[in-house]
Amino acid sequence: MPVELIAALSITAVVIGVCGIVVPVLPGSMAILVGLLVWAIWGGAPTGWLVFAVGGLLVLGGMSAQYLITGRRLKERQIPSRSVVIGLVCGVIGLFVIPFLGLPIGFVAGLLASEYLRVRDLREAWSTSWAALKSVGLGMVVELGLALAAATTLLVGIVTHLIV
């Protein structure tokens, strides 16, 4: 297989993965790891494995940060992760009901409804939902930043391989 085709496939998997971090319906960080691995095995010879190692560490760091940041902040506010899961499920359903805007609307509505059923006070439910939204958002931003750094690592590795 030509190296250019392998590069295109790797970049496509990474782009899908980066989009998947923001849109949970698509595969996220795992798709980035697959793209990096494809380049390491079939495309980049010895430097491909270096790209995979560096990019893989960045992706794993982003995945870890997402769970650690979100989990710690939810635990601080005593918000069960069940509420976030319900919000995600409602967000995915919302995505199909209202294209594109349904994801955030469904997530917020599901999260707020779950918290309201838990605490039985709208003010407190909004407060805990807002805290959960901020923690999920912060974790997502960190994961996205590290995923973009991994994508940059892949691009540098591909360009270096194709020029040299």
Side-chain angles (χ1 to χ4, degrees):
M1 232 190 249
V3 162
E4 292 81 7
L5 180 59
I6 298 299
L9 291 173
S10 298
I11 291 169
T12 302
V14 169
V15 167
I16 290 170
V18 168
C19 292
I21 291 172
V22 180
V23 181
V25 177
L26 300 171
S29 295
M30 295 309 287
I32 297 171
L33 285 174
V34 167
L36 293 169
L37 185 61
V38 165
W39 178 250
I41 293 173
W42 290 290
T47 58
W49 289 104
L50 178 62
V51 167
F52 177 72
V54 171
L57 286 174
L58 289 167
V59 168
L60 292 175
M63 291 170 65
S64 304
Q66 166 73 335
Y67 293 112
L68 292 174
I69 290 171
T70 303
R72 184 184 58 163
R73 292 196 180 228
L74 292 178
K75 190 177 272 188
E76 285 173 1
R77 292 291 306 260
Q78 298 177 340
I79 303 168
S81 30
R82 168 184 50 96
S83 293
V84 175
V85 171
I86 290 171
L88 285 172
V89 169
C90 290
V92 171
I93 292 169
L95 183 64
F96 292 105
V97 174
I98 308 168
F100 188 69
L101 289 177
L103 180 66
I105 292 170
F107 179 73
V108 171
L111 180 63
L112 182 60
S114 176
E115 281 300 290
Y116 179 74
L117 290 174
R118 184 176 72 89
V119 298
R120 301 285 182 195
D121 176 26
L122 188 57
R123 216 172 263 235
E124 178 66 20
W126 179 250
S127 174
T128 57
S129 295
W130 181 245
L133 283 169
K134 289 190 300 187
S135 69
V136 168
L138 179 61
M140 190 182 292
V141 166
V142 170
E143 185 177 10
L144 180 62
L146 289 171
L148 290 171
T152 302
T153 303
L154 175 66
L155 289 175
V156 167
I158 289 172
V159 168
T160 303
H161 181 78
L162 293 177
I163 291 176
V164 174

